[in-house]
Amino acid sequence: MRLLASGRGDAEYRRIRAARAYLSGVAEPPAPALAGFVAEAGPCRAAEAVRRGKVPPGVAKEVEARADHVSGERLLAAADEAGVRIVVPEDDEWPVAVFAGLADARSVELPGMAEPLALWVRGSAATRDVLGTGVAVVGARAASGYGEHVAAEFGHGLTRAGFAVVSGAAYGVDGAAHRGALAAGGATAAFLACGADIDYPAGHARLLRVITEQGLVVSEYPPGTPPRKHRFLVRNRLIAASGRATVVVEAGARSGATNTANSADALGKPVLAVPGPVTSQNSVGCHELVRSGRAVLATRVEDVLELLNPLVGAVPCGPSVPERRTDDLSSAAQRVHDALRGADGAAAEEVARDCGLPLREVRALLPELELAGLAVRTERGWSVSP
């Protein structure tokens, strides 16, 4: 049963929220074993099993340090006091298509990938509306003036084209991309590597407040969770999953931005990289992404739009996309759409077998078809939109 956010007076919904809050705090993300257990047992039964210690060995390893020290009710109370709300998969606003790839990746045991058990959010916008139209723009913290300028231009241009800009609120490229989106009057989402109630970095406290007014500040970590180095890398998979594509603007050879790009690539999402001077250490990561074939070169916003819209030409997809005709689809998208005809819910693996395309390509095309109004994902799987 899919419960709506408007049903918060319902006793069952309160139990689900408390269970999800507990589960999100009891294990350090990404916690793939716990995520799989929750998907099978449901949040309430899973939470009770964790409390009683009656869980599979893999789950026990992830939760044993915190099982007796976390309270879902206390986390919800702390969130209310801090102006943070919990969004759970049972909510109507949960961005199902956004995190479908993470669930699929977790099911095939791709290292470091698992869907979030809940999201803690500042901002009144619906997560599905913002993240469902997202493009990730990421890059170096110690960005050059060139990098910040380009990031702001991409943030502004993508927003004007109808996309929300997703990033990590860090200094440098992230902050510039957020500011570009805000200047265009559009929505932007900042994923934090700490509780959503914490302004991090502190120097971006004002920026985060403005983002809250026009978009969302999001975290999978409960309120009060401090930032830690490993959490930034874990957080990056959510940025990658929330973007229909990832644009890298300045990145070192080993950096958080290239980590985000690698996560996007693993999820079958397009990656674009902005070139820089060959003498710049800040652009080594971008050049390597292009050289290795993992990224497409991007020098302007139109390059991103062209790659994002193979289904419908150059028309940007936003929250209010007109109905698409199937004869506008690329040949690969047409094959995926045809495979869905007559299906009353099919897994991505079944669709891939039916249409003969690589699973990775199918996983990338299914959300595109959903955003074009031609496919829908339900609890049973994927099918043609009614």
Side-chain angles (χ1 to χ4, degrees), residues 93-280:
E93 70 168 288
W94 183 264
V96 176
V98 169
F99 297 126
L102 288 173
D104 291 339
R106 184 258 306 159
S107 68
V108 296
E109 298 182 354
L110 193 63
M113 295 292 185
E115 66 275 30
L117 294 165
L119 295 176
W120 301 88
V121 177
R122 268 198 287 165
S124 59
T127 55
R128 184 171 185 171
D129 292 344
V130 177
L131 302 185
T133 61
V135 174
V137 180
V138 297
R141 286 177 172 81
S144 66
Y146 160 79
E148 292 196 7
H149 171 77
V150 171
E153 288 293 315
F154 271 78
H156 190 278
L158 288 167
T159 301
R160 290 290 299 273
F163 296 96
V165 171
V166 181
S167 198
Y171 294 127
V173 165
D174 289 16
H178 288 306
R179 291 188 183 94
L182 293 170
T188 184
F191 275 90
L192 303 186
C194 56
D197 58 324
I198 298 174
D199 289 331
Y200 188 89
H204 275 176
R206 183 177 180 277
L207 174 62
L208 288 167
R209 286 196 294 272
V210 178
I211 291 174
T212 299
E213 295 168 2
Q214 289 187 214
L216 298 171
V217 173
V218 189
S219 178
E220 66 180 325
Y221 297 99
T225 303
R228 294 287 184 265
K229 185 175 181 179
H230 71 276
R231 290 177 180 146
F232 289 91
L233 295 178
V234 171
R235 175 274 313 267
N236 288 345
R237 83 191 194 286
L238 301 185
I239 295 177
S242 298
R244 293 181 58 199
T246 294
V247 182
V248 184
V249 183
E250 290 197 327
R254 294 172 59 86
S255 64
T258 55
N259 173 264
T260 304
N262 290 336
S263 294
D265 184 56
L267 292 170
K269 306 235 180 189
V271 178
L272 302 97
V274 177
V278 295
T279 55
S280 172

Side-chain angles (χ1 to χ4, degrees), residues 61 203 257:
K61 183 177 180 180

